[in-house]
Amino acid sequence: MDTHTESMEDPIELSYEQKAIEMARSHWEREKKKAIHQRRTFLGLQIIPTSSYYDESSGHRPGENNWTGFGFDLHPQVSMGAGVLLLIFIVLTLVFGEQSAVFFQRLLDGIGNSFGWLYILSANFFVIVMALIAASRFGNIRIGGPDALPEFSTFSWYAMLISAGMGIGLMFWSVAEPIFHYMDPSPMFKAAPKTAQAAQVALGQTYFHWGIHPWGIYALVGLSLAFFAYNRGLPLTIRSIFYPILGEKIYGFWGNLIDVLSVLATLFGLATSLGLGVKQVASGLHYLFGFPTTTGFAVTLIAVITFFAVLSIITGLDKGVKFLSSANMVTAAVFMVFLLLVGPTVYILKAFTQNIGFYIQNLPRLSFWVEAYLGAEGSNWQNPWTIFYWGWWISWSPFVGMFIARVSKGRTIREFIVGVMLFPTVLSFLWMSTFGGSALWLQLTEVADIASAVNKDVSTALFVMLESFPFTQVTSFIGILLVVIFFVTSSDSGSLVVDHLTSGGKLDSPVPQRIFWGVMEGVCAAVLLMGGGLVALQSASIATGLPFTIVLLVMCYSLYRGLKEEHYHATIIGKMKPETHKIEIPI
């Protein structure tokens, strides 16, 4: 009788349990939608910090000692320090125009030869730290506290990651870099130039430069900022990350120094991308309409596009950046799919598959190679490539990291790291295979001579490649449009970040202040182009990335201490709660 009763009750018990789970799931989805659609509109990068277990702000408020007036609300030490250094750089570059080009070349070579090993080791360390945190018990910690929900849909989140992360770079280098490596392969692989083996190495090396390493750097800064702002109640500035080490000193000299370095790194990292982007736009306009490709015309383009970026800045994060990022994501996806279909489809898919295997197989070798046994001959190859990229990603990381932090509240640390590191990496691989693979196919089959175009002017590579496929004029115009929109989203996002840093992490900053920093980004890009072109852009990234590398290394330890404390408190509170097995279902 007892057995029969149990067998009769089990299905009913299971049925009720299933219904309860479904109702709970439905409630979760409704609450998530509410967090996304019914939240307060943001005009900038401002947040209302929350703390999951305790508040470490100690009564300090963002911008409490700011200077206000004339449409500005500035942290005096950070703003003056960064502004003076920036002004000195601009004046010296403009006054000593001829000498600056030589200086930038020597700076690029000097830092690469002396500190290239530091960049290589550090980038690997950041990736390993992120992987260990994601796999550890810390992965279950939720950004914003146990009850926080995502504020943006997953699609919008991914769209903003890609647009802010490396959109201009993908457009500029997707054709040019594989062709460069095809003509001059890395000495590590000893592949003969302009061969099938060189083509394999070319895409594999490109995968390495655009793979998990840059996104590991972004994930480190983004996670650190999000955790200390949303879980510890500290301002959304780089100095806050070092609270476990510096304590109240983050509000003094050391905190100011960290934020000044962050501002300079962000400005020069942005200037590098904007400079590359405007060179490509100028080449595209020359190709389509015969416009000049002079430096003066490029500077004019910077001014025009910066104007549109300022308009987007005024509309704010929710409207301007979110709309443009989503629109750009869709346009870029259509552009890539079109080329995938009209181009050598099977070749592209085979190259994508094979090069993922090549990347995984050679990742340890690629990651730790520093030309130790090749002397000066090898240094001539790695400095303008891997060392430049690592310096660029590091100098770009305060901007991208802060932007990612701002849009990632409500996600678990594991979800954050996996989402930031894997999805953009795979998408970058597919993009590089589609555009770079098509260019290599044209070169290998001798349908078009992309290599000569790259040697003549690297910024024309995309447009020369598109000549071999249908609707050349239309696709070239779409390419220009994508670069312009990437320029705008990068510029307005970057100006919001710089503005946030120079206002002491204040929630609301005046519109004139945001416009000022947007204009300064354009000025930096213009000055670098006039002072040495591509070499100057590369040198600026590497130079500002070097001191910030030290900041990121210390950041790893500080983040570990913060997560360890958070997990400890979560465990203690969990043990204090009485064990219950009830399910609360809202009616």
Side-chain angles (χ1 to χ4, degrees):
M1 184 67 179
D2 292 339
T3 305
H4 176 70
T5 302
E6 286 182 9
S7 65
M8 290 291 290
E9 288 178 354
D10 284 347
I12 298 175
E13 181 93 16
L14 186 59
S15 175
Y16 277 126
E17 184 179 336
Q18 288 176 334
K19 286 181 180 179
I21 290 172
E22 288 301 319
M23 292 180 73
R25 184 180 291 116
S26 176
H27 174 65
W28 170 265
E29 290 298 327
R30 283 197 305 272
E31 290 298 309
K32 192 160 122 186
K33 287 180 182 178
K34 188 191 224 179
I36 292 172
H37 298 295
Q38 297 182 12
R39 61 194 172 82
R40 180 169 75 90
T41 299
F42 293 97
L43 298 176
L45 275 176
Q46 52 267 54
I47 64 167
I48 297 178
T50 56
S51 54
S52 53
Y53 296 109
Y54 50 87
D55 189 345
E56 287 184 329
S57 61
S58 304
H60 290 282
R61 291 293 174 261
E64 59 189 359
N65 296 316
N66 282 7
W67 289 352
T68 58
F70 304 101
F72 288 85
D73 191 350
L74 297 171
H75 187 288
Q77 290 84 1
V78 175
S79 300
M80 293 296 293
V84 168
L85 292 174
L86 191 62
L87 184 62
I88 292 173
F89 165 80
I90 291 173
V91 171
L92 290 178
T93 304
L94 292 177
V95 172
F96 301 99
E98 295 182 2
Q99 296 93 328
S100 61
V102 177
F103 169 77
F104 285 129
Q105 184 63 62
R106 290 179 178 174
L107 182 66
L108 183 66
D109 294 336
I111 293 178
N113 293 337
S114 301
F115 297 100
W117 62 271
L118 178 62
Y119 278 117
I120 298 296
L121 269 182
S122 299
N124 292 319
F125 180 69
F126 301 146
V127 171
I128 293 170
V129 167
M130 287 295 97
L132 291 176
I133 289 176
S136 71
R137 63 189 188 275
F138 302 144
N140 295 322
I141 296 173
R142 188 171 296 276
I143 297 171
D147 301 323
L149 293 171
E151 292 185 336
F152 293 93
S153 67
T154 302
F155 176 80
S156 294
W157 187 50
Y158 284 141
M160 286 189 277
L161 290 183
I162 294 295
S163 292
M166 50 180 62
I168 290 179
L170 285 172
M171 293 296 297
F172 189 88
W173 290 112
S174 58
V175 173
E177 183 174 350
I179 293 295
F180 265 123
H181 298 332
Y182 169 76
M183 295 186 294
D184 183 21
S186 167
M188 177 173 60
F189 294 101
K190 299 179 180 178
K194 303 179 181 179
T195 62
Q197 185 186 3
Q200 162 80 89
V201 169
L203 269 179
Q205 191 78 44
T206 304
Y207 274 23
F208 172 59
H209 290 153
W210 297 83
I212 61 171
H213 282 79
W215 290 102
I217 295 168
Y218 297 161
L220 169 64
V221 180
L223 175 59
S224 301
L225 281 165
F227 173 75
F228 284 100
Y230 287 117
N231 292 66
R232 294 301 179 89
L234 293 168
L236 188 66
T237 57
I238 303 295
R239 70 172 74 204
S240 298
I241 300 171
F242 298 90
Y243 188 88
I245 298 174
L246 297 176
E248 292 297 300
K249 292 179 181 178
I250 66 168
Y251 299 104
F253 170 78
W254 292 108
N256 295 334
L257 178 62
I258 290 169
D259 278 353
V260 167
L261 288 175
S262 303
V263 170
L264 294 177
T266 301
L267 284 172
F268 285 115
L270 277 166
T272 301
S273 287
L274 303 186
L276 295 176
V278 83
K279 282 175 67 69
Q280 193 169 29
V281 171
S283 296
L285 291 175
H286 174 74
Y287 170 80
L288 287 177
F289 308 111
F291 283 97
T293 56
T294 60
T295 302
F297 181 68
V299 171
T300 303
L301 277 177
I302 289 176
V304 173
I305 301 175
T306 299
F307 171 75
F308 288 104
V310 166
L311 294 180
S312 180
I313 289 169
I314 295 172
T315 61
L317 181 65
D318 264 16
K319 295 179 181 177
V321 181
K322 180 183 175 183
F323 172 77
L324 287 175
S325 297
S326 299
N328 222 23
M329 185 81 163
V330 173
T331 306
V334 172
F335 191 31
M336 182 179 69
V337 170
F338 170 79
L339 186 59
L340 180 62
L341 294 177
V342 303
T345 307
V346 176
Y347 178 85
I348 291 171
L349 295 176
K350 288 170 69 175
F352 173 69
T353 304
Q354 183 167 321
N355 279 285
I356 287 179
F358 180 89
Y359 173 74
I360 296 173
Q361 180 184 1
N362 292 279
L363 185 58
R365 186 182 177 192
L366 285 162
S367 299
F368 291 94
W369 185 68
V370 289
E371 303 176 318
Y373 305 107
L374 293 176
E377 180 185 352
S379 297
N380 292 333
W381 190 93
Q382 193 177 44
N383 284 353
W385 288 113
T386 308
I387 303 304
F388 157 63
Y389 275 126
W390 279 197
W392 189 14
W393 305 142
I394 290 171
S395 65
W396 188 251
S397 64
F399 151 56
V400 181
M402 187 172 292
F403 189 78
I404 293 173
R406 169 59 195 86
V407 299
S408 299
K409 183 179 179 181
R411 303 189 183 275
T412 65
I413 287 178
R414 185 172 295 112
E415 179 187 7
F416 176 93
I417 293 175
V418 171
V420 171
M421 290 182 65
L422 293 187
F423 174 78
T425 294
V426 173
L427 200 60
S428 297
F429 287 173
L430 185 57
W431 182 277
M432 289 297 184
S433 294
T434 302
F435 288 85
S438 296
L440 286 172
W441 180 80
L442 292 172
Q443 191 70 41
L444 288 167
T445 57
E446 299 183 352
V447 173
D449 188 8
I450 312 297
S452 296
V454 170
N455 276 330
K456 184 178 179 182
D457 185 355
V458 62
S459 59
T460 64
L462 174 65
F463 307 107
V464 174
M465 186 268 291
L466 291 174
E467 286 181 357
S468 301
F469 301 107
F471 308 110
T472 302
Q473 299 289 323
V474 176
T475 54
S476 296
F477 180 76
I478 292 174
I480 295 172
L481 184 64
L482 280 171
V483 175
V484 170
I485 299 178
F486 275 129
F487 187 121
V488 171
T489 55
S490 296
S491 179
D492 55 16
S493 304
S495 64
L496 289 169
V497 168
V498 173
D499 174 62
H500 209 67
L501 289 169
T502 54
S503 64
K506 195 163 184 180
L507 304 182
D508 294 294
S509 53
V511 172
Q513 185 168 311
R514 299 205 295 270
I515 293 174
F516 171 78
W517 288 114
V519 171
M520 288 306 296
E521 288 162 19
V523 170
C524 285
V527 168
L528 286 171
L529 279 180
M530 291 187 290
L534 183 60
V535 172
L537 295 171
Q538 292 175 319
S539 301
S541 291
I542 289 179
T544 53
L546 182 60
F548 206 73
T549 300
I550 308 302
V551 173
L552 294 188
L553 289 170
V554 180
M555 185 183 295
C556 292
Y557 173 68
S558 185
L559 176 63
Y560 167 74
R561 283 187 55 175
L563 293 176
K564 186 177 179 181
E565 291 170 0
E566 184 84 1
H567 182 267
Y568 172 79
H569 285 273
T571 304
I572 293 298
I573 291 176
K575 289 181 177 179
M576 291 170 61
K577 291 180 179 178
E579 292 189 5
T580 59
H581 299 283
K582 67 179 180 178
I583 301 176
E584 295 183 1
I585 303 174
I587 304 300

